[in-house]
Structure formats: structure tokens, C-alpha cells
Amino acid sequence: MAKPPRAWQRMLSGRRLDLLDPTPMDIEVEDIAHGLAFVARWNGQTHGDYAYSVAEHSLLVEELFGRLCPKASATERLTALLHDAPEYVIGDMISPVKAAVGPGYEELDKRLSAAIHIRFGLPAVTPARLKKQIKKADRISAWMEATQIAGFTRTEADRFFGAPDLDMIADLSIRLRPPVDARHDFTARHASLMDML
């Protein structure tokens, strides 16, 4: 009889995360921040001396979400910060790859997201209205990334991600920096939001 394949990953915290049946007890923000700081957006196909990490992207999405929804609660802002948190173990697949992989990736993402949310006191499933608002911030971030570091023209980015309100993002830019800096800022922002809950 064949031995079942290993479906868990050892985290730097020492936790052993079962990817098929993740539990909130095995989730640590330091593991999330570290993993996301080393996962490159756009499959690493960006200009610059550093990859644009999912941790950096998450910080930007949370900032954009706050601008779109200035009365958002700390719980909602934390949900925005953690919107891509499962990628700390499953990586960031670009949309065409997700489509090719099929529903298996989405199911894995949902299970991990639920465990992460429960660990930090959030609803296991993000309410549809909030998810839509976070997605809007996510698309603005994608537009910024596409035009500033991923080689897209504004016309292409408008077509794929929608044209953002340029006044709202006029003072923001994509930052490329060492993973340790993004990891530190992600952890600090998470702690700040947790303190507000």
C-alpha cells in the first residue's frame, strides 16, 4: 500500500501546518509575514533590484482599502491586510495559472484563509460586501504595480484592472525593498490593528 504524500509544512516558528486540514492553532503572524515577504508578485517579472512581495502588496491594499472606506473598522482593515495571507504557504499564482490549475487551488486557499481568520478573531468567511471592497483596493494595487514595475501601458492596465482615481493614489508609489523591511512592516501593521480590536 502506497504511503500518502506529505501534506504539511514545517514553519520557522516550529509549527507544523497541515495544508489539507489547517487549524488556527498552527497559524503565527511571524510565519505569514516571513513567507509573504519572500513571495514575489507577478512571478518575479518586475523591474528593480528586489521582487515586489506579497507582504508589500498587502500593506498597499490595506492602505488603499482605508482610503476607499475611511470609516472601516480595525476588523475590516485587518481582513484587508490578510486578504492574500494563504499565499505564505501556497505562493502567489498569477490569474492565468490559477485558471489552469482549476478549483483545487481555490479550495486550498479558502481552507487556509478560514484558519487564518479564526486565528486572529475574524469571521472565517469574509462577508461578500467587504470582499468586494477589498477586491477594489486589490485591483487598484494591481494597476499601480502593472504600470510602475510590470511593464504594462496605462491602456493595458485600464483594460485588465480598471482605471483608478489618480487623485486618490497621487501620493502613493510602489516600493521595492529588502524582504526583511516588508516583513517588519507587515508584522508591525498587524500588531497595530490587533491592538485596535
Side-chain angles (χ1 to χ4, degrees):
M1 184 172 185
K3 187 177 175 182
R6 178 172 67 93
W8 57 267
Q9 179 176 350
R10 172 90 51 205
M11 298 293 147
L12 289 178
S13 64
R15 300 284 188 186
R16 193 168 96 164
L17 182 66
D18 184 334
L19 301 180
L20 300 180
D21 187 22
T23 66
M25 291 187 322
D26 292 322
I27 308 290
E28 296 293 344
V29 70
E30 293 81 7
D31 292 333
I32 293 171
H34 183 82
L36 295 183
F38 284 90
V39 174
R41 297 261 301 161
W42 305 93
N43 279 349
Q45 296 301 305
T46 52
H47 298 287
D49 293 331
Y50 294 102
Y52 188 68
S53 73
V54 176
E56 199 76 69
H57 164 79
S58 297
L59 287 162
L60 179 58
V61 168
E62 191 260 330
E63 170 68 25
L64 291 165
F65 171 74
R67 291 180 181 206
L68 291 169
C69 305
K71 294 182 180 177
S73 67
T75 297
E76 291 168 328
R77 291 192 73 142
L78 181 59
T79 304
L81 181 70
L82 296 172
H83 79 283
D84 278 340
E87 295 178 7
Y88 87 107
V89 286
I90 59 176
D92 179 33
M93 288 193 197
I94 59 173
S95 297
V97 175
K98 286 179 186 174
V101 170
Y105 178 89
E106 188 176 342
E107 286 305 312
L108 184 57
D109 185 275
K110 283 181 183 176
R111 282 195 298 272
L112 284 163
S113 192
I116 291 164
H117 284 191
I118 292 167
R119 169 67 176 86
F120 299 116
L122 302 174
V125 177
T126 303
R129 177 193 58 80
L130 177 57
K131 191 170 188 171
K132 187 175 181 181
Q133 292 168 326
I134 293 170
K135 188 64 182 171
K136 184 172 183 181
D138 191 38
R139 290 175 67 81
I140 295 169
S141 179
W143 185 93
M144 292 174 64
E145 296 163 32
T147 57
Q148 293 181 34
I149 58 172
F152 284 59
T153 65
R154 278 195 177 185
T155 302
E156 289 174 315
D158 289 352
R159 187 169 67 242
F160 291 115
F161 309 111
D165 174 355
L166 296 178
D167 289 336
M168 187 189 77
I169 62 172
D171 63 326
L172 297 174
S173 61
I174 298 302
R175 294 189 297 175
L176 299 175
R177 55 190 181 142
V180 66
D181 295 342
R183 179 181 68 197
H184 174 270
D185 286 358
F186 185 96
T187 306
R189 184 58 182 153
H190 179 272
S192 173
L193 290 167
M194 289 295 290
D195 286 344
M196 293 181 212
L197 297 183

Coordinates of all heavy atoms in Angstrom, one line a residue, residues 12 28-39 53 55 88 179-180 182-184 186-187:
L12 N 8.9 28.3 10.3 CA 10.0 28.7 11.0 C 9.7 28.8 12.5 O 10.6 28.7 13.3 CB 10.6 30.0 10.5 CG 11.3 29.9 9.1 CD1 11.7 31.3 8.6 CD2 12.5 29.0 9.1
E28 N 0.8 31.5 12.8 CA 1.5 32.5 13.5 C 1.8 33.7 12.5 O 2.2 33.4 11.4 CB 2.9 32.0 14.1 CG 2.8 30.9 15.1 CD 2.2 31.4 16.4 OE1 2.1 32.6 16.7 OE2 1.8 30.5 17.2
V29 N 1.6 34.9 13.0 CA 1.7 36.1 12.1 C 3.2 36.2 11.6 O 3.4 36.6 10.5 CB 1.2 37.4 12.8 CG1 2.2 37.8 13.9 CG2 1.1 38.5 11.7
E30 N 4.1 35.8 12.5 CA 5.5 35.9 12.0 C 5.8 35.0 10.8 O 6.6 35.3 9.9 CB 6.5 35.5 13.2 CG 6.5 36.6 14.3 CD 5.3 36.4 15.3 OE1 4.5 35.4 15.2 OE2 5.2 37.3 16.2
D31 N 5.2 33.8 10.8 CA 5.3 32.9 9.7 C 4.7 33.5 8.4 O 5.2 33.4 7.3 CB 4.7 31.5 10.0 CG 5.4 30.7 11.1 OD1 6.6 30.9 11.2 OD2 4.7 29.9 11.7
I32 N 3.5 34.1 8.6 CA 2.8 34.7 7.5 C 3.6 35.8 6.9 O 3.9 35.9 5.7 CB 1.4 35.2 7.9 CG1 0.5 34.1 8.3 CG2 0.8 36.1 6.8 CD1 -0.8 34.5 8.9
A33 N 4.1 36.7 7.8 CA 4.9 37.9 7.4 C 6.2 37.5 6.7 O 6.5 38.0 5.6 CB 5.2 38.8 8.6
H34 N 6.8 36.5 7.2 CA 8.1 36.0 6.6 C 7.8 35.4 5.2 O 8.5 35.7 4.3 CB 8.8 35.0 7.5 CG 10.1 34.5 7.0 ND1 11.2 35.2 7.2 CD2 10.4 33.4 6.3 CE1 12.2 34.5 6.6 NE2 11.7 33.4 6.0
G35 N 6.8 34.5 5.2 CA 6.5 33.9 3.9 C 6.1 34.9 2.8 O 6.6 34.8 1.7
L36 N 5.2 35.8 3.2 CA 4.7 36.8 2.2 C 5.8 37.7 1.8 O 5.8 38.2 0.6 CB 3.6 37.6 2.8 CG 2.3 36.8 3.1 CD1 1.2 37.8 3.6 CD2 1.8 36.0 1.9
A37 N 6.8 38.0 2.6 CA 7.9 38.9 2.3 C 8.8 38.3 1.2 O 9.5 39.0 0.5 CB 8.7 39.3 3.5
F38 N 8.8 37.0 1.1 CA 9.6 36.3 0.2 C 8.9 35.7 -1.0 O 9.5 35.0 -1.9 CB 10.4 35.2 0.9 CG 11.6 35.7 1.7 CD1 11.4 36.0 3.0 CD2 12.8 35.9 1.2 CE1 12.4 36.5 3.8 CE2 13.9 36.4 1.9 CZ 13.7 36.7 3.2
V39 N 7.6 36.0 -1.1 CA 6.8 35.5 -2.3 C 6.7 36.7 -3.2 O 6.2 37.8 -2.8 CB 5.4 35.0 -1.9 CG1 4.5 34.7 -3.1 CG2 5.5 33.8 -1.0
S53 N 7.0 42.0 -3.2 CA 6.5 40.9 -2.4 C 5.0 41.0 -2.1 O 4.4 42.1 -2.2 CB 7.2 40.8 -1.1 OG 6.9 41.9 -0.2
A55 N 3.8 40.6 0.8 CA 3.7 41.4 2.0 C 3.6 42.9 1.7 O 2.7 43.6 2.3 CB 5.0 41.1 2.9
Y88 N 1.3 32.7 1.9 CA 2.6 32.4 2.6 C 3.0 31.0 2.5 O 4.2 30.6 2.7 CB 2.5 32.9 4.0 CG 1.9 32.0 5.1 CD1 2.8 31.4 6.1 CD2 0.6 31.8 5.2 CE1 2.3 30.6 7.1 CE2 0.0 31.0 6.3 CZ 0.9 30.5 7.2 OH 0.4 29.7 8.2
P179 N 13.3 42.1 1.6 CA 12.2 41.4 2.2 C 12.1 41.6 3.7 O 11.0 41.7 4.3 CB 12.5 39.9 1.9 CG 13.3 39.9 0.7 CD 14.1 41.2 0.7
V180 N 13.2 41.8 4.4 CA 13.2 42.0 5.8 C 12.4 43.2 6.2 O 11.7 43.3 7.2 CB 14.6 42.0 6.4 CG1 15.4 43.2 5.9 CG2 14.6 41.9 8.0
A182 N 9.9 44.6 4.4 CA 8.4 44.4 4.2 C 7.9 43.5 5.3 O 6.8 43.7 5.8 CB 8.2 43.7 2.9
R183 N 8.7 42.5 5.7 CA 8.3 41.6 6.8 C 8.1 42.3 8.1 O 7.1 42.2 8.8 CB 9.4 40.5 7.0 CG 9.1 39.5 8.1 CD 10.2 38.5 8.3 NE 11.4 39.2 8.8 CZ 12.6 38.6 8.7 NH1 12.8 37.5 8.2 NH2 13.6 39.3 9.2
H184 N 9.0 43.2 8.4 CA 8.9 44.0 9.7 C 7.6 44.9 9.6 O 6.9 45.0 10.6 CB 10.1 44.9 9.8 CG 10.0 45.8 11.0 ND1 9.5 47.1 10.9 CD2 10.4 45.7 12.3 CE1 9.5 47.7 12.0 NE2 10.0 46.9 12.9
F186 N 4.9 44.6 7.8 CA 3.7 43.8 7.8 C 3.3 43.3 9.3 O 2.2 43.5 9.7 CB 3.8 42.5 6.9 CG 2.6 41.7 6.8 CD1 1.7 41.8 5.7 CD2 2.3 40.7 7.8 CE1 0.6 41.1 5.6 CE2 1.1 40.0 7.7 CZ 0.3 40.1 6.6
T187 N 4.3 42.8 10.0 CA 4.2 42.4 11.4 C 3.7 43.6 12.2 O 2.8 43.4 13.1 CB 5.4 41.8 11.9 OG1 5.9 40.7 11.0 CG2 5.2 41.1 13.3

